[in-house]
Amino acid sequence: MSSIQFIFFDVGNTLLFPNRDRIHAPLSARGLKVEPDHLRDLERRTKNEFDALVTSDGSTDHSFWGMFYSHLLVDLGIDDNDLRDQLVSNIRQSANWDQIPPGTCEQLQELGQHYAISVISNADGKIENVLAKCEIARCFRTITDSGLVGYEKPHPEIFRQALASMIARPDESLYVGDMYCVDYLGATGAGMQAVLMDVPGAYRDKGLPRVENLRELSVMLKR
């Protein structure tokens, strides 16, 4: 990766993580609690299932979060489409993605000393506000939000617009995101290099470039 001059980051499950207390309030109201290990295992399983569906037919019509919460309710022995839809609606609100790992700002600032860093996110037009609330918006030179530009990853146009905003060449650019079919294939399809931010270990045995945190990304870039 010696040619890399620009790094573009996904946000959800890459830099910021879901506020499960807020998102899962409908479950709590029923006296239900889902353990973190259960959610981590479910994320691994759903990502692999979702990737297989999307890459096999070339379509992104399958909803990851709809699939995720359908599986979760099955695990909990609940058949309630209204509850599933409420959970999906909650997790799709960018304001509910406000959990930031300690040291994120400092690690981004360190990366920013060596690379021009920006954001490309599938969001609802409000991701810059969330990044500002979490005090990391200032780390990025540009923020490309699908809710504002009208294209969602993996569509190449959202990557093209982000690259243009930075006057960056694709071959000099790296994208870091958490989903193979959306982030990795979308970025490489646009001519960029890509690394998966694989916190739950969904791609540990897939032979793909992956890291589990920003510190590991810094180490990878120095090799």
Side-chain angles (χ1 to χ4, degrees):
M1 296 187 179
S2 59
S3 64
I4 295 299
Q5 297 185 34
F6 304 87
I7 302 177
F8 295 83
F9 286 94
D10 183 22
V11 176
N13 282 333
T14 298
L15 300 175
L16 302 181
F17 295 83
N19 187 317
R20 298 290 186 184
D21 289 342
R22 195 181 302 147
I23 292 164
H24 291 171
L27 294 175
S28 299
R30 296 185 178 208
L32 298 169
K33 181 180 179 181
V34 187
E35 296 298 329
D37 286 348
H38 185 172
L39 293 170
R40 192 175 302 111
D41 177 67
L42 183 58
E43 184 179 343
R44 285 195 293 264
R45 288 188 283 126
T46 307
K47 279 183 174 177
N48 283 292
E49 181 181 352
F50 186 76
D51 288 337
L53 284 171
V54 173
T55 56
S56 65
D57 66 10
S59 170
T60 54
D61 290 337
H62 310 283
S63 167
F64 174 81
W65 290 114
M67 182 182 294
F68 181 92
Y69 282 112
S70 291
H71 289 336
L72 178 61
L73 293 184
V74 168
D75 290 350
L76 297 175
I78 298 172
D79 182 10
D80 188 331
N81 289 339
D82 289 339
L83 176 58
R84 179 203 60 203
D85 293 346
Q86 189 174 3
L87 292 166
V88 171
S89 176
N90 286 351
I91 205 161
R92 284 178 171 165
Q93 296 176 40
S94 60
N96 287 335
W97 289 77
D98 60 2
Q99 302 302 291
I100 181 167
T104 295
C105 185
E106 292 78 7
Q107 290 160 6
L108 288 171
Q109 289 173 337
E110 181 181 336
L111 286 168
Q113 294 176 9
H114 305 283
Y115 307 93
I117 65 174
S118 296
V119 159
I120 307 173
S121 178
N122 283 355
D124 56 5
K126 302 175 182 178
I127 200 62
E128 185 169 1
N129 295 337
V130 180
L131 293 168
K133 178 183 175 183
C134 294
E135 301 184 344
I136 57 172
R138 66 184 183 274
C139 296
F140 306 107
R141 299 195 183 185
T142 63
I143 296 171
T144 302
D145 183 328
S146 68
L148 298 177
V149 304
Y151 294 91
E152 288 192 347
K153 301 173 296 179
H155 197 290
E157 183 59 27
I158 190 171
F159 293 98
R160 283 196 289 265
Q161 290 195 27
L163 289 164
S165 74
M166 292 289 286
I167 318 177
R169 285 176 19 198
D171 61 317
E172 295 176 337
S173 303
L174 176 70
Y175 189 67
V176 184
D178 72 300
M179 291 192 65
Y180 173 72
C181 63
V182 173
D183 298 309
Y184 188 89
L185 291 184
T188 56
M192 304 167 72
Q193 298 182 58
V195 171
L196 289 162
M197 181 63 74
D198 186 23
V199 176
Y203 304 108
R204 194 168 289 150
D205 302 319
K206 303 293 184 180
L208 295 163
R210 57 177 292 279
V211 294
E212 295 187 7
N213 53 58
L214 289 174
R215 186 61 62 198
E216 288 186 8
L217 176 65
S218 295
V219 172
M220 176 183 283
L221 289 166
K222 290 174 183 176
R223 289 174 184 165

